[in-house]
Amino acid sequence: MEKRQHWDSRLIFIFAAIGSAAGLGNAWRFPYRAATNGGGAFLIPYFVALITAGIPLLIAEFAIGYKFRAGAPTALGKVKKGWEALGWWSVGVGFVIVTYYSVIMAWVFDYLWYSLSTAWGDAPADFFLNKVLHITSGPGELGGFSIPVLIGLVIAWIAVYWTIRDGVKSVGKVVKWTVPLPVIMLGILVIRALTLDGAVEGIRYYLDPDFSKLLDPKVWAGAYGQIFFSLSVAFAVMIAYASYLPKKSDITNNAIITALANCGISFMAGFAVFGTMGYMALQKGGTVADVAGSGGIGLAFWVYPEAIRLLPFGTVIFALVFYIMLLTLGIDSFFSIIEGVVAGVADKWQLNKKKTTRVVVLAGFVLSLLFATKGGLHWLDIVDKYINDYGVIGVAFFEVIAIGWVFKSKKLREFVNPISELKLGGWFDILLKFITPLALGGILIWNIVQEVIDVTKGNYYGGYPLWSVAVGGWIVAVVLIVASFILAKTKGKETLEEAPEKE
Ligand code: PHE
């Protein structure tokens, strides 16, 4: 049996965990969600979600990864036989996400290149959709590959393979750079943004509180979804990362540091994005809401380039800073998902990690090709919506049941407290056993009810045809669940060491 690798130091582990958490989601999902879901008032559901679900689940994932020294399927299978399937489900959800996350990274690589000549000229939206993606009319028309995206994709996967080829050893070397660098870049962008005319208007749009939004369940569901995606919990990633912790590692404090650093980066990104949007609104005439558009992919690939174009000086420099930030933010999230999948597969069958990494990277690359087609963006949009609304929340719900009730949160505290700086009291049980599952279960049911209402009314997500939503959303979900049970049924190889209860 291969000896299990360990992180070189506590700092490297924290860096890797923050690197996974802080990704593209922080740069464009958070600021936009906050702005449109109540501004400063959104911080309330966001922090409630962080405290009642994000941090408890992160502690729980770190704890079981550390204790059982294995990726999510094997670790959850050790909580109780039969729960291994849940681990595979989370691996599956991560794997689906990585197939399109890699394509967004491909665009970022392309844009690093385009930045040098600000190739988007004075029509960034047209450039992105028609010159880079060559977007088709709908999901029914794939239209062959977009060559720039294909090139970016090959580069992205090679970069990731190179980073994880030696497991946590090589990952440790890379996160030393990819975690501090985006924070520095973001700092530069915040200063630039806040010193522009009109920035105050943008910040007002970002943070002006609208408390009436707090009555809308959608805002709460959005806050929980954002927290999970952002903290990378319920994706098999944090369990795998914690399984490489050396003995006697802190759990609770590491989880809290990771969570707070991640949310801090999100909050900061809002100033860079909306400060700049305020300036753009002033230049073009119009409101911040008008120029900011609908956030998401558009924000990073055409709204921001448009804003950079209007800067008084340093266009190329600020474009480069922006895309280097996205690249370094996203790349460690990207490879963390692969690591979660690799740990899951290698630990179950005791396979050689290097070979497993090669196979997983190759499989991920092949599947990601779908999203590199000219119709890829439509599919990306559909898959992203469903995997987040159902896959992630579903996994998270069952995971708190598995850890809070089956493993028992009291046992978890007794295991975690002696090795952690911060001690968890009885209140933690109330969180993990009642509040977190109730919140998650409520959101899951609410999402399903909304979906049923929309579908019966003939309102399919994004206005896409029914069959495409069924394939990219529902069928993917069913396939993942069935595959998880099948994988859990197949025989693995036992023999993993466990972390000692006490030393
Ligand atoms: N947390 C990352 C982000 O905010 C995305 C991610 C999701 C990474 C799942 C790993 C696992 O972009």
Side-chain angles (χ1 to χ4, degrees):
M1 190 177 80
E2 285 177 74
K3 205 173 154 349
R4 196 164 196 84
Q5 292 183 315
H6 290 309
W7 299 105
D8 278 338
S9 69
R10 177 175 181 184
L11 185 69
I12 295 292
F13 168 72
I14 292 179
F15 266 22
I18 295 175
S20 171
L24 301 172
N26 302 54
W28 79 49
R29 250 182 221 248
F30 175 82
Y32 193 78
R33 281 244 162 122
T36 50
N37 285 324
F42 181 74
L43 296 179
I44 297 172
Y46 185 72
F47 277 105
V48 171
L50 176 68
I51 307 281
T52 62
I55 291 180
L57 209 58
L58 194 56
I59 294 175
E61 288 205 345
F62 277 2
I64 67 156
Y66 171 76
K67 177 167 171 59
F68 295 117
R69 293 258 184 280
T74 305
L76 284 165
K78 289 198 173 179
V79 165
K80 190 161 187 203
K81 251 201 136 17
W83 286 87
E84 186 189 322
L86 176 61
W88 286 114
W89 192 17
S90 70
V91 164
V93 167
F95 192 65
V96 169
I97 290 187
V98 88
T99 58
Y100 67 80
Y101 207 84
S102 56
V103 174
I104 304 177
M105 292 307 293
W107 305 338
V108 176
F109 273 104
D110 287 347
Y111 267 69
L112 214 51
W113 169 250
Y114 297 141
S115 294
L116 295 173
S117 59
T118 53
W120 45 82
D122 45 20
D126 172 63
F127 180 77
F128 177 68
L129 295 171
N130 301 321
K131 307 273 165 20
V132 181
L133 300 191
H134 299 277
I135 188 134
T136 60
S137 59
E141 193 192 338
L142 288 182
F145 288 118
S146 150
I147 300 302
V149 177
L150 191 60
I151 296 172
L153 193 63
V154 171
I155 297 174
W157 280 101
I158 290 176
V160 160
Y161 175 69
W162 180 80
T163 308
I164 58 172
R165 72 197 186 287
D166 282 327
V168 298
K169 288 279 166 275
S170 48
V171 166
K173 289 192 188 116
V174 171
V175 291
K176 275 183 204 158
W177 295 96
T178 56
V179 175
L181 207 61
V183 179
I184 296 171
M185 299 287 157
L186 187 55
I188 297 174
L189 293 173
V190 170
I191 294 171
R192 173 69 283 207
L194 295 185
T195 48
L196 290 167
D197 286 340
V200 179
E201 257 328 292
I203 304 301
R204 191 168 293 149
Y205 178 72
Y206 172 37
L207 290 179
D208 210 12
D210 173 3
F211 290 99
S212 69
K213 290 267 189 193
L214 299 189
L215 298 173
D216 183 355
K218 210 170 164 175
V219 170
W220 288 84
Y224 276 86
Q226 172 63 23
I227 280 289
F228 286 122
F229 185 83
S230 189
L231 289 180
S232 316
V233 290
F235 293 94
V237 170
M238 293 305 191
I239 296 181
Y241 269 12
S243 76
Y244 301 118
L245 277 168
K247 284 180 184 154
K248 288 200 195 154
S249 292
D250 183 286
I251 300 292
T252 313
N253 209 8
N254 280 354
I256 292 176
I257 294 171
T258 304
L260 294 184
N262 172 64
C263 297
I265 292 174
S266 291
F267 189 58
M268 201 170 146
F271 289 92
V273 168
F274 284 104
T276 313
M277 293 303 124
Y279 169 75
M280 186 153 116
L282 193 70
Q283 295 297 309
K284 300 185 79 165
T287 65
V288 178
D290 290 340
V291 297
S294 56
I297 288 162
L299 189 67
F301 296 100
W302 69 77
V303 179
Y304 213 84
E306 174 73 21
I308 290 176
R309 184 174 81 82
L310 300 171
L311 289 180
F313 63 90
T315 318
V316 172
I317 297 291
F318 287 110
L320 280 174
V321 169
F322 180 69
Y323 288 107
I324 291 173
M325 177 193 77
L326 283 187
L327 181 75
T328 48
L329 262 184
I331 198 92
D332 34 22
S333 303
F334 179 1
F335 61 67
S336 72
I337 309 180
I338 305 284
E339 191 54 52
V341 180
V342 170
V345 174
D347 289 341
K348 165 134 184 172
W349 291 285
Q350 295 291 300
L351 301 173
N352 174 286
K353 265 200 73 188
K354 278 200 167 175
K355 281 192 197 137
T356 313
T357 305
R358 258 177 249 151
V359 174
V360 172
V361 165
L362 197 66
F365 170 68
V366 169
L367 284 174
S368 69
L369 289 173
L370 167 69
F371 302 105
T373 58
K374 295 174 181 163
L377 181 60
H378 306 296
W379 287 102
L380 193 157
D381 190 15
I382 297 170
V383 172
D384 177 56
K385 145 92 182 167
Y386 284 90
I387 203 85
N388 279 295
D389 279 7
Y390 302 98
V392 178
I393 305 276
V395 170
F397 173 75
F398 288 107
E399 220 176 85
V400 277
I401 302 292
I403 302 174
W405 289 88
V406 182
F407 183 75
K408 294 207 170 41
S409 86
K410 183 155 176 280
K411 201 164 131 203
L412 183 121
R413 284 193 290 124
E414 286 164 1
F415 167 68
V416 160
N417 278 346
I419 46 175
S420 299
E421 288 165 38
L422 297 169
K423 311 291 175 203
L424 301 170
W427 51 267
F428 185 76
D429 302 351
I430 302 178
L431 268 183
L432 201 63
K433 291 176 85 161
F434 299 99
I435 300 183
T436 318
L438 276 175
L440 292 173
I443 289 167
L444 199 57
I445 293 172
W446 196 81
N447 280 347
I448 293 174
V449 170
Q450 287 300 312
E451 177 75 15
V452 172
I453 296 177
D454 281 348
V455 168
T456 43
K457 280 194 199 144
N459 290 337
Y460 308 123
Y461 172 69
Y464 295 111
L466 178 63
W467 68 269
S468 63
V469 173
V471 172
W474 310 330
I475 294 185
V476 169
V478 173
V479 168
L480 282 185
I481 294 173
V482 173
S484 309
F485 281 103
I486 296 176
L487 282 168
K489 274 262 168 290
T490 56
K491 242 187 113 37
K493 244 188 180 171
E494 286 279 338
T495 58
L496 286 170
E497 11 119 39
E498 257 188 46
E501 298 264 327
K502 284 191 191 72
E503 274 190 83

